[in-house]
Amino acid sequence: MSTDPIVNISTLNKWYGDFHVLRDINLEVGRGERIVICGPSGSGKSTLIRCINALEEFQEGEIVVDGIELGPNLRRVDEVRREVGMVFQSFNLFPHLTVLDNCTLAPIWVRNIPKKDAEATAMKFLERVKIPHQANKFPGQMSGGQQQRVAIARALTMNPKVMLFDEPTSALDPEMVKEVLDTMVDLAREGMTMLVVTHEMGFAREVANRVVFMDAGQIIESNTPQEFFANPQHARTKLFLSQILR
Amino acid sequence: MTDVTASSFVRQDLVPERPAPVKTTGFIGFVRTRLLNSPTNILLTIVALLLLWYTIIPALKFLLVDAVWSGKDRNACLAENTGHQVGACWPYIQAKLTQLIYGFYPEAERWRVNLTFILAVVLLAPLLIPRLPAKGLNASLFFFAFPVVAFFLLRGGGLTGFGVSWVASLSQLFGDSIVNAGQVLVNLSQNSAIGPVLWGIGKLIVLIGSAVGWLIFPLTWLRDQLQMSGQPLWYDFLLTAVIVSLILFFLGGGMRTGQRALLASLVTFAGIAVVIKLMGLDRGGLAVVDTRLWGGLLVTLVVSVTGIVTSMPIGIALALGRRSTIPLIRVFSIAFIEFWRGVPLITVLFFATYMLPLFLPGNFNVDGLVRALIGIALFAGAYQAEVVRGGLAAIPRGQGEAASALGLSWWKTTSLIVMPQALRHVIPGLVNSFIALFKDTSLVSIVALFDLLGSLHATFSDPTWSTPTTAFTGFAFAGMIYFVFCFGMSRYSLFVENRLNAHRRN
Amino acid sequence: MTTEPRKPPPQFIFRLKRALGGKSGWTGLAVQIVFAAVLAWVAYEIVANARANLETQRIASGFGFLKNTAGFDVSLNLVPYSGSDTYTRVFLVGLLNTLLVAVIGIIFATIIGFIIALCRLSPNWLLARIGEIYVELVRNLPLLFQLLFWYLAVLAALPGPRQSISLFNTAFLSNRGLVIPRPIGEAGLDPFLIAIAIGIVGALALRSYARRALFQRGQAIRIWPTVLGLLFGLPLATMLIFGLPLTFEMPQLKGFNFAGGARVIPELVALLVALSTYTAAFIAEIVRAGILSVHKGQMEAGSSLGLSRGATLRLIVVPQAMRVIVPPLTNQYLNLTKNSSLAVAIGYPDLVSVFAGTTLSQTGQAIEIIAITMGVYLLISLVTSAVMSVYGWRINRSLGAGA
């Protein structure tokens, strides 16, 4: 882990109307670090990672992604988004495009990469998520787990420096969770910087450098997975863990 | 009472299948269950049969049995001459067929209309068959190249200039108009309380207008040079081709990725050159046929196809405008849509015929057909906008978010992700409004354009063919044409919808 | 350790940016300024050109012409009108004729539409097919085509008044139009109308009383005999006391035409037939879709609760279907009203025909007249859609509790 953080969030505050969703969030993510963010629903964890990608506006504070500063006016949105890949809970594949077109769209139209090169890159990533033979299918013809793996490949084709995962396995049938998690574990082994919102505590134990627990819009506890699970400090963390690990 | 819990049972032999006591399948079963299964239903069946007896039989009798099939004038279709009750008078249709299809389009030039029809079919048919490839090329040929070719084919006439001249003339007009507007404000400022402000704004506008004039000076100079040369069209064309291709090349990414754009542009211009050469547009083109001579099915198809092609972009732009967060754009779109949807098409056509010429500069003579087309395009555009908006609303927010997260700009997100899905969603609605538009074209006959219905109406006044059944025959014939087009469109939309749904299912 | 929630910062500049330029911020503002400039330029061009054109054509703009004498006759006027009246009066006559045709057309279209919808939903295969053919045939032919068909072909083919088609010897249909008995008010009319009004009010009051009794005390009151008595018995009673409310003047064939009775001009007949049969096809589809939209499970759920078939229909199916039906139905009513402007094609004196047609060609005041005409239709549409959005809002609110 290098010393300079790739994502640096300082005193981030966000309101929906008068509702204070994110309160004084400070978080540094080092290069190659893998952070799992967990917490009860409505705790603001999804909102937090959506802020990093500028899908949500925030009112106070600052986010710096790889030296690109993202203040409340979100002026450098496009630059940040090119460095950050995102995987959604509901996959959000483009249903009118084939899997391959889903993966080449952004490289062609955003990075102006010639179509042939973009397709070669896309195939490489589809192989990595183990669905190269389905490249010409439409998303609607695939299972949820396959769709989510395509979504990961699609995000990777932009060569992001950071990957954000917003509950990537929550919308999946139980038997498909593993294939997606395996893909994510592989990705982690290769040294990708990852911020993952998930309830999959097994994943957290296996790959995370750090587990961040959020509640009521704030970071309650942040620790290594071993410490976090073995020795939770805060009362709310204990309550949460007792509810989730039965 | 038997003791249920104590009894155990093992089946020794399987019960064989046997037919239902009352037959419910096959023709007999069908009649029994769907027509005669209760006293009320029997009564309804009798009523329905009577209804058919009194409508279908007379109609068939009129169209076929009692019909007169040949003759030279009305005498052939009079009961006292035929000796039996007279149905449809088909020789009348035969005599008027050319008028119903071409109107008064000169006989020697009708091959141009036929050629246009053939071109349309050749381009449209492969577009409608989903299995065939190259939809993009096909669509751009049909929606962009075909209308231009059809215009020069049907109306005739040639070109004296191309892109450079057009841009120069238009911007000159624009600049002059702005200077005039500024001057008006300056003049107003003399007797007004906020005089100095008006004066300032006026002067500023005059300045902008003059700046436009200066900026385009190279263009106007170039235009004048071109017009003085021996081949104004070809030189202008070459110059436009070079300029546009270069611009596209650099917009497309220059040396790295611009080659495709450059190639596409050059191919397009080569195509345009072929068309210009083939149709002799540089030598005055085909003889001009005034649109007042157009009529019949030709006008119906021209109006509806133009209406469909022009209303789509208007509708898409308005739908996006209505969803925009920019206040003025949104308010304008809403007002525009609600206005056109709130008034009947006839008043729109009256507006286009009587009011529009007053709004244009006096020396600007707009053809009657074009005026009606403008009215119809605006009217249909407003309806399309609401259909498209429905499709946009059906796209989940995640789609736009996913595209943004990949770094796509608003324009690219809209044109690559959101709009294609939205349009697919609303194909039935779009086709429905196409059908409505096709039917509505009949209204142009009220503002003195002779479409199919107008031409039909005009034939009724011909004394050579005035018989008691002439009107019925005419309506039967025109009705079949309208029905075939509208019914065909609606069936096609069902086919496409089913195909898309089938795709979604597996 | 926990951070307490606090109020968001005021962010004046941000809010200003939002208000001025939407989500696009300052870019949005710039776009708006350019857009406003373009609009202003277009408006300037329109005004300047219109002024210059009117000057060369020597037309004085303004609404002064409305006070001038019209000098032409109108074949149907619901308010007294003669050629010496002003154009304002012409406008009023035309507007009333439009409304007349719209109201009667809506009533007929609704009746026919519901009948066709029931045919299409009928378990009888033959009847369902007939309904389908009707809908397909009528929807796929232009309305103007149908209007001209009825007017130029069917009505023109009818016999002259002497050979009129008689409907039960009270109404006579000929190529001169429809002659129907003319109602004449008698002494008993006022009490009769009052009795009907009392009957309706009383029946409604009784219904809400019975509802309250059922909901609050669990007491089911049988009200229909009383309601029948109120609605029919009371008017009958007044008829017995005060005499007949109406007598009808029967049309009689005298010479070549009818004397007495009320004559409905053929244009109105053709327009009504065309508008109501055309709109009925669309209404039938709407009603059918509305009824089919109620899930079959709703009917099953109703019967499983022990409600009778009638009660299930009345309390469960119809209210849900109405939610789906009413908005597009209103839209069809609006369409019918707007389509009534096709009257100009056959010379029925509606607003467009007498005002935007005859008056426009006599005075040449195109801008004013077309603006007024469009304004009238626009007003009708906007008022209707305002009412509908209130209705939609109420429906959404009542459904929103679950969603």
Side-chain angles (χ1 to χ4, degrees):
Chain A
M1 233 187 289
S2 64
T3 43
D4 70 313
I6 190 158
V7 178
N8 190 356
I9 302 169
S10 43
T11 54
L12 180 71
N13 276 287
K14 174 173 172 58
W15 287 262
Y16 282 128
D18 275 344
F19 177 60
H20 201 168
V21 248
L22 293 180
R23 304 178 198 165
D24 290 340
I25 303 280
N26 287 297
L27 185 67
E28 276 189 17
V29 185
R31 279 180 206 279
E33 199 178 8
R34 296 171 296 278
I35 295 182
V36 165
I37 304 171
C38 59
S41 69
S43 58
K45 46 196 195 310
S46 285
T47 311
L48 173 62
I49 70 163
R50 285 162 64 89
C51 279
I52 300 174
N53 207 0
L55 285 176
E56 300 278 353
E57 294 168 331
F58 49 91
Q59 281 79 19
E60 284 177 6
E62 192 183 69
I63 299 176
V64 179
V65 180
D66 196 29
I68 307 162
E69 194 178 299
L70 195 65
N73 54 17
L74 299 182
R75 200 172 302 150
R76 303 175 72 181
V77 178
D78 293 335
E79 291 170 64
V80 168
R81 283 178 179 164
R82 276 176 221 187
E83 307 303 330
V84 179
M86 176 124 184
V87 175
F88 297 86
Q89 179 179 358
S90 50
F91 329 138
N92 290 343
L93 290 180
F94 306 132
H96 63 303
L97 300 176
T98 61
V99 164
L100 188 61
D101 288 340
N102 261 285
C103 296
T104 56
L105 184 96
I108 290 176
W109 291 94
V110 179
R111 293 218 196 268
N112 287 331
I113 292 169
K115 195 174 177 190
K116 280 219 175 74
D117 303 350
E119 283 181 351
T121 321
M123 284 312 291
K124 196 181 85 196
F125 284 112
L126 285 175
E127 267 160 38
R128 248 169 78 178
V129 300
K130 301 190 183 73
I131 24 184
H133 47 283
Q134 315 242 32
N136 289 316
K137 277 197 180 175
F138 284 90
Q141 301 167 308
M142 310 175 84
S143 74
Q146 289 171 325
Q147 289 195 46
Q148 193 60 296
R149 275 146 60 197
V150 172
I152 294 172
R154 178 177 74 176
L156 289 175
T157 54
M158 289 292 282
N159 287 322
K161 299 200 170 102
V162 183
M163 284 283 283
L164 307 177
F165 293 85
D166 185 4
E167 306 204 18
T169 55
S170 304
L172 294 174
D173 291 336
E175 72 268 25
M176 292 168 186
V177 170
K178 188 173 178 303
E179 59 184 72
V180 171
L181 287 181
D182 285 348
T183 311
M184 290 167 65
V185 170
D186 288 347
L187 199 59
R189 298 249 158 81
E190 286 159 27
M192 175 62 78
T193 313
M194 293 162 72
L195 269 96
V196 185
V197 172
T198 188
H199 293 131
E200 297 294 333
M201 290 304 133
F203 176 77
R205 271 185 228 271
E206 192 175 346
V207 296
N209 302 105
R210 193 150 41 115
V211 178
V212 172
F213 175 68
M214 283 184 72
D215 191 18
Q218 49 215 304
I219 295 178
I220 303 288
E221 197 167 335
S222 166
N223 216 334
T224 60
Q226 297 79 11
E227 275 297 299
F228 180 82
F229 290 112
N231 208 353
Q233 301 295 314
H234 199 279
R236 287 199 207 176
T237 321
K238 288 177 190 160
L239 180 66
F240 177 73
L241 284 177
S242 72
Q243 280 165 342
I244 197 165
L245 304 170
R246 256 174 304 171
Chain B
M1 283 286 273
T2 49
D3 196 0
V4 179
T5 45
S7 73
S8 78
F9 168 76
V10 177
R11 180 171 288 289
Q12 298 303 324
D13 39 18
L14 298 175
V15 178
E17 193 179 304
R18 62 189 168 95
V22 180
K23 200 164 151 53
T24 55
T25 53
F27 179 72
I28 303 288
F30 171 79
V31 169
R32 199 181 274 150
T33 52
R34 302 295 307 275
L35 295 176
L36 307 171
N37 58 343
S38 71
T40 351
N41 229 350
I42 293 172
L43 190 72
L44 287 177
T45 306
I46 292 169
V47 170
L49 283 176
L50 280 176
L51 213 59
L52 286 179
W53 182 261
Y54 281 109
T55 51
I56 302 283
I57 301 297
L60 286 179
K61 229 174 133 202
F62 176 85
L63 290 176
L64 302 171
V65 181
D66 290 341
V68 175
W69 295 92
S70 62
K72 284 197 296 295
D73 57 9
R74 64 189 290 264
N75 288 325
C77 300
L78 289 177
E80 50 260 45
N81 298 337
T82 56
H84 63 84
Q85 209 187 349
V86 172
C89 180
W90 295 121
Y92 145 73
I93 294 294
Q94 219 171 357
K96 298 291 178 190
L97 191 62
T98 52
Q99 194 183 338
L100 291 180
I101 294 179
Y102 306 102
F104 295 103
Y105 208 91
E107 210 169 335
E109 307 287 336
R110 281 188 194 145
W111 61 271
R112 286 155 59 175
V113 182
N114 295 338
L115 185 61
T116 315
F117 284 162
I118 293 172
L119 268 180
V121 171
V122 166
L123 286 176
L124 189 59
L127 200 59
L128 295 182
I129 302 172
R131 252 176 302 127
L132 296 181
K135 284 279 176 284
L137 177 70
N138 198 336
S140 57
L141 277 179
F142 183 75
F143 288 110
F144 298 106
F146 172 69
V148 178
V149 172
F151 172 80
F152 285 110
L153 255 181
L154 291 174
R155 186 182 163 277
L159 288 170
T160 53
F162 206 72
V164 176
S165 305
W166 296 339
V167 172
S169 303
L170 275 181
S171 4
Q172 205 170 15
L173 267 177
F174 178 68
D176 290 351
S177 161
I178 290 186
V179 171
N180 280 339
Q183 212 60 54
V184 169
L185 270 187
V186 172
N187 293 344
L188 271 180
S189 69
Q190 278 155 10
N191 37 21
S192 160
I194 49 163
V197 181
L198 281 184
W199 186 87
I201 298 175
K203 280 290 174 198
L204 186 69
I205 294 174
V206 171
L207 196 70
I208 295 174
S210 317
V212 171
W214 287 111
L215 270 178
I216 59 152
F217 179 74
L219 269 182
T220 41
W221 178 82
L222 212 53
R223 176 193 57 182
D224 296 340
Q225 293 300 312
L226 287 170
Q227 292 300 336
M228 272 187 290
S229 66
Q231 291 270 10
L233 174 62
W234 285 114
Y235 287 131
D236 195 342
F237 173 78
L238 278 179
L239 203 60
T240 313
V242 170
I243 295 175
V244 171
S245 300
L246 281 180
I247 290 175
L248 284 178
F249 178 64
F250 286 113
L251 281 184
M255 287 309 286
R256 201 159 61 88
T257 51
Q259 284 96 342
R260 279 178 66 90
L262 183 68
L263 195 70
S265 161
L266 288 180
V267 168
T268 310
F269 275 105
I272 296 174
V274 170
V275 169
I276 291 178
K277 192 73 204 163
L278 271 182
M279 298 181 66
L281 297 183
D282 52 337
R283 286 168 280 114
L286 298 160
V288 173
V289 179
D290 195 294
T291 55
R292 272 170 297 185
L293 297 176
W294 300 17
L297 189 60
L298 169 66
V299 166
T300 297
L301 290 178
V302 165
V303 174
S304 46
V305 170
T306 322
I308 289 171
V309 171
T310 49
S311 66
M312 272 314 287
I314 298 178
I316 290 176
L318 284 173
L320 290 175
R322 194 167 184 166
R323 284 168 66 88
S324 164
T325 54
I326 304 174
L328 189 64
I329 304 271
R330 192 181 61 238
V331 170
F332 174 81
S333 304
I334 293 177
F336 194 92
I337 293 171
E338 293 304 325
F339 176 78
W340 294 110
R341 280 166 48 91
V343 295
L345 180 55
I346 291 193
T347 60
V348 175
L349 290 172
F350 273 62
F351 161 86
T353 322
Y354 299 115
M355 236 159 124
L356 207 58
L358 292 176
F359 290 164
L360 294 172
N363 53 359
F364 222 79
N365 232 334
V366 183
D367 186 278
L369 184 62
V370 175
R371 272 183 262 166
L373 283 176
I374 294 174
I376 287 186
L378 295 176
F379 182 80
Y383 279 84
Q384 305 283 33
E386 285 302 273
V387 177
V388 174
R389 188 167 72 115
L392 288 175
I395 306 298
R397 238 177 48 157
Q399 290 290 314
E401 284 180 353
S404 309
L406 286 169
L408 270 74
S409 64
W410 182 88
W411 285 105
K412 285 174 183 164
T413 304
T414 304
S415 62
L416 297 171
I417 305 297
V418 178
M419 201 43 89
Q421 292 188 51
L423 292 182
R424 247 167 243 223
H425 255 276
V426 292
I427 284 176
L430 288 176
V431 174
N432 265 345
S433 55
F434 291 162
I435 294 175
L437 178 64
F438 184 80
K439 290 191 292 177
D440 281 344
T441 56
S442 57
L443 267 63
V444 297
S445 61
I446 293 173
V447 287
L449 291 168
F450 289 91
D451 71 322
L452 178 57
L453 191 58
S455 301
L456 180 74
H457 196 169
T459 61
F460 291 161
S461 55
D462 182 359
T464 334
W465 288 101
S466 116
T467 73
T469 58
T470 304
F472 282 100
T473 315
F475 279 113
F477 177 72
M480 282 186 245
I481 296 183
Y482 277 117
F483 187 82
V484 165
F485 275 97
C486 296
F487 191 70
M489 278 195 265
S490 71
R491 287 294 121 157
Y492 180 74
S493 108
L494 275 184
F495 160 72
V496 172
E497 209 189 332
N498 285 339
R499 217 183 109 82
L500 285 180
N501 284 344
H503 199 93
R504 242 169 250 153
R505 241 179 279 125
N506 55 37
Chain C
M1 160 141 190
T2 56
T3 319
E4 288 309 308
R6 53 191 165 91
K7 291 277 161 214
Q11 290 194 298
F12 292 120
I13 294 191
F14 177 80
R15 285 193 189 170
L16 183 73
K17 213 165 86 173
R18 265 296 157 84
L20 291 177
K23 279 200 175 138
S24 326
W26 300 127
T27 328
L29 185 62
V31 169
Q32 280 184 95
I33 290 172
V34 171
F35 189 67
V38 171
L39 281 187
W41 176 67
V42 170
Y44 159 77
E45 273 291 305
I46 285 176
V47 172
N49 288 330
R51 187 169 292 165
N53 286 325
L54 289 178
E55 222 158 77
T56 50
Q57 293 177 18
R58 295 174 198 289
I59 300 171
S61 60
F63 293 93
F65 74 96
L66 284 173
K67 293 197 192 69
N68 296 352
T69 308
F72 60 85
D73 281 320
V74 175
S75 59
L76 175 68
N77 38 296
L78 296 180
V79 287
Y81 170 84
S82 72
S84 57
D85 279 318
T86 59
Y87 287 121
T88 319
R89 195 78 175 172
V90 172
F91 169 76
L92 184 66
V93 169
L95 179 60
L96 287 175
N97 285 345
T98 291
L99 293 179
L100 173 77
V101 96
V103 170
I104 304 181
I106 284 173
I107 294 170
F108 279 129
T110 312
I111 295 171
I112 304 174
F114 272 81
I115 292 175
I116 303 286
L118 290 181
C119 280
R120 288 209 63 182
L121 291 168
S122 152
N124 187 302
W125 180 84
L126 204 55
L127 212 55
R129 285 297 85 75
I130 288 177
E132 196 181 330
I133 291 171
Y134 174 88
V135 170
E136 288 294 345
L137 191 68
V138 169
R139 280 203 314 179
N140 285 318
L141 292 173
L143 174 58
L144 185 62
F145 172 93
Q146 296 182 37
L147 178 60
L148 290 181
F149 172 75
W150 290 112
Y151 186 64
L152 294 175
V154 176
L155 280 189
L158 287 177
R162 287 181 68 87
Q163 287 85 36
S164 291
I165 299 167
S166 150
L167 309 167
F168 309 113
N169 248 334
T170 49
F172 299 91
L173 191 64
S174 70
N175 58 9
R176 302 279 190 83
L178 180 70
V179 186
I180 52 169
R182 188 215 300 272
I184 298 169
E186 296 284 324
L189 183 62
D190 293 339
F192 180 72
L193 290 179
I194 293 170
I196 287 184
I198 292 174
I200 292 172
V201 171
L204 288 177
L206 198 62
R207 186 175 151 228
S208 72
Y209 168 76
R211 281 257 157 126
R212 206 169 315 139
L214 181 65
F215 289 168
Q216 290 178 353
R217 299 195 299 278
Q219 182 182 10
I221 305 174
R222 172 182 293 202
I223 59 165
W224 65 265
T226 331
V227 168
L228 273 188
L230 272 174
L231 286 182
F232 294 100
L234 203 59
L236 267 176
T238 56
M239 264 206 285
L240 290 177
I241 300 168
F242 296 97
L244 285 176
L246 292 171
T247 54
F248 288 94
E249 186 190 66
M250 285 299 171
Q252 234 115 48
L253 192 63
K254 291 241 174 79
F256 289 104
N257 215 334
F258 284 94
R263 199 169 77 88
V264 183
I265 55 173
E267 288 80 18
L268 179 56
V269 177
L271 194 59
L272 279 179
V273 172
L275 282 177
S276 45
T277 50
Y278 182 77
T279 315
F282 291 86
I283 291 179
E285 283 303 274
I286 290 168
V287 172
R288 189 176 90 103
I291 292 175
L292 290 180
S293 77
V294 182
H295 200 264
K296 216 175 107 189
Q298 294 288 322
M299 194 80 199
E300 288 165 0
S303 8
S304 74
L305 287 171
L307 291 170
S308 72
R309 196 182 143 77
T312 316
L313 275 176
R314 190 162 49 85
L315 296 172
I316 292 168
V317 177
V318 170
Q320 291 186 56
M322 283 321 261
R323 275 185 191 147
V324 181
I325 290 173
V326 168
L329 191 63
T330 328
N331 218 0
Q332 285 306 325
Y333 290 166
L334 265 184
N335 279 350
L336 188 143
T337 310
K338 285 189 277 175
N339 283 336
S340 71
S341 59
L342 290 186
V344 68
I346 57 168
Y348 170 79
D350 82 320
L351 180 64
V352 171
S353 177
V354 295
F355 197 60
T358 320
T359 307
L360 173 58
S361 60
Q362 280 194 4
T363 61
Q365 305 277 1
I367 297 181
E368 296 84 353
I369 287 178
I370 293 175
I372 293 176
T373 314
M374 284 182 151
V376 168
Y377 286 102
L378 202 58
L379 193 69
I380 297 175
S381 298
L382 290 183
V383 169
T384 314
S385 47
V387 171
M388 281 325 290
S389 49
V390 172
Y391 174 82
W393 175 77
R394 279 186 50 187
I395 293 254
N396 279 342
R397 199 183 46 171
S398 69
L399 286 178

